[in-house]
Amino acid sequence: MTTTGIDARLDRIGTDGTYVIIPMDHGITIGACQGLKDIESTIDGVTSGGADAVLTQKGIAPRVHDNKNGKGYIVHLNGSTTIGPDENDKRMTGTVEEAVRVGADAVSFHINVGSDHEPNQIAQLSEVTATAKQFGMPVLAMAYARGPGVDPEDPEALGHAVRLAEELGADIVKTGYSGDAESFQHVVESTRLPVVIAGGSKGTDRETIEMVRGVMDAGGAGVSMGRSIFQHDNPEAIARAVAGVVHDDLSTEEALTEAGLALEA
């Protein structure tokens, strides 16, 4: 059940029900990599290029607000590192109340469906959505199919993950891409929530935009793409190309050309 507050805040992180969200919480996961050292410039670039919202951990909030060009802000509430014992073991790093205090328009939470840590993450996501409803705060569930014997691109597993997010009270769900529009349609049809996809590791410009085009053709609501955007040599341009597909229904070629990336694709 949505409320006026949830609806109003969803408007701040999207455009007419579509979403171009740039997660930049990777400083916990992989450290201060390309695009995150001078995160201020990256935030300015991607929001100038058409991103609807950026996403970070709570401690980065002071570096966000002056550089997001009036766009939305999401605070992520759990995390892990690639050098720790188990990257799938995401632990709580913040609360809804803290997100409110640092000026967030939404919160996000990562759950690995099929992992050994799924039970704890289900309980934690349930608590987050319950608290968020009290504040009229939208929840973006990052629901991935990950774990022993789980194919992270299997549309059945992805469909299960997005449905779990709806069952637990999320307002938007992010998941992996199944590889093509036809199979991803099953994922989108598994929930009434807006479904956005993760970008994964950086590919070519054309591969990135073709993937975004496939998501939209399948009935998806957009993207929540991190490394494909913030590690790009020109984050503003690739954000503009992605937004062209998500917001303006451009073809892959049109989006690359309008962003000035066609020759580099």
Side-chain angles (χ1 to χ4, degrees):
M1 182 181 69
T2 61
T3 66
T4 301
I6 289 175
D7 288 341
R9 292 180 176 93
L10 285 173
D11 285 344
R12 296 177 199 165
I13 65 168
T15 299
D16 298 327
T18 60
Y19 302 89
V20 176
I21 297 166
I22 315 300
M24 287 182 272
D25 58 313
H26 301 64
I28 279 186
T29 312
I30 59 177
C33 60
Q34 175 185 338
L36 296 185
K37 289 181 179 179
D38 181 9
I39 197 170
E40 291 87 349
S41 294
T42 305
I43 291 168
D44 176 59
V46 299
T47 53
S48 296
D52 296 301
V54 296
L55 178 155
T56 76
Q57 293 279 347
K58 62 189 180 186
I60 302 296
R63 304 176 68 176
V64 172
H65 290 292
D66 291 343
N67 301 289
K68 64 184 178 64
N69 296 302
K71 300 299 182 70
Y73 178 45
I74 303 170
V75 167
H76 196 52
L77 299 184
N78 61 346
S80 62
T81 76
T82 56
I83 60 175
D86 188 348
E87 188 181 349
N88 284 334
D89 188 8
K90 304 286 183 181
R91 298 296 180 100
M92 295 293 295
T93 56
T95 65
V96 174
E97 292 92 335
E98 287 177 309
V100 171
R101 284 196 290 271
V102 298
D105 301 304
V107 295
S108 60
F109 187 89
H110 183 127
I111 179 169
N112 291 311
V113 180
S115 77
D116 294 340
H117 310 289
E118 177 198 286
N120 286 335
Q121 290 170 353
I122 284 177
Q124 291 168 347
L125 177 56
S126 297
E127 293 172 6
V128 166
T129 58
T131 303
K133 292 293 186 290
Q134 297 175 22
F135 287 90
M137 180 73 80
V139 177
L140 165 63
M142 299 186 180
Y144 292 89
R146 288 182 182 169
V150 179
D151 178 355
E153 296 183 355
D154 174 31
E156 292 295 330
L158 295 172
H160 191 163
V162 300
R163 184 52 177 255
L164 179 146
E166 180 181 5
E167 300 273 350
L168 296 184
D171 302 286
I172 312 176
V173 59
K174 167 184 177 176
T175 197
Y177 187 49
S178 58
D180 58 77
E182 184 177 1
S183 63
F184 199 70
Q185 188 173 348
H186 167 74
V187 182
V188 173
E189 291 173 349
S190 297
T191 178
R192 290 189 178 181
L193 297 183
V195 178
V196 300
I197 60 142
S201 57
K202 185 180 179 299
T204 67
D205 295 342
R206 186 171 298 278
E207 288 170 343
T208 296
I209 302 307
E210 285 176 346
M211 180 169 63
V212 177
R213 185 65 261 171
V215 170
M216 302 310 290
D217 289 343
V223 305
S224 175
M225 302 178 81
R227 289 170 290 172
S228 300
I229 308 294
F230 70 71
Q231 288 190 321
H232 196 277
D233 291 338
N234 190 337
E236 181 174 349
I238 192 66
R240 180 169 289 111
V242 171
V245 175
V246 173
H247 295 153
D248 301 321
D249 199 27
L250 298 183
S251 69
T252 297
E253 204 64 47
E254 289 170 336
L256 289 168
T257 300
E258 291 199 10
L261 294 172
L263 296 178
E264 305 166 25

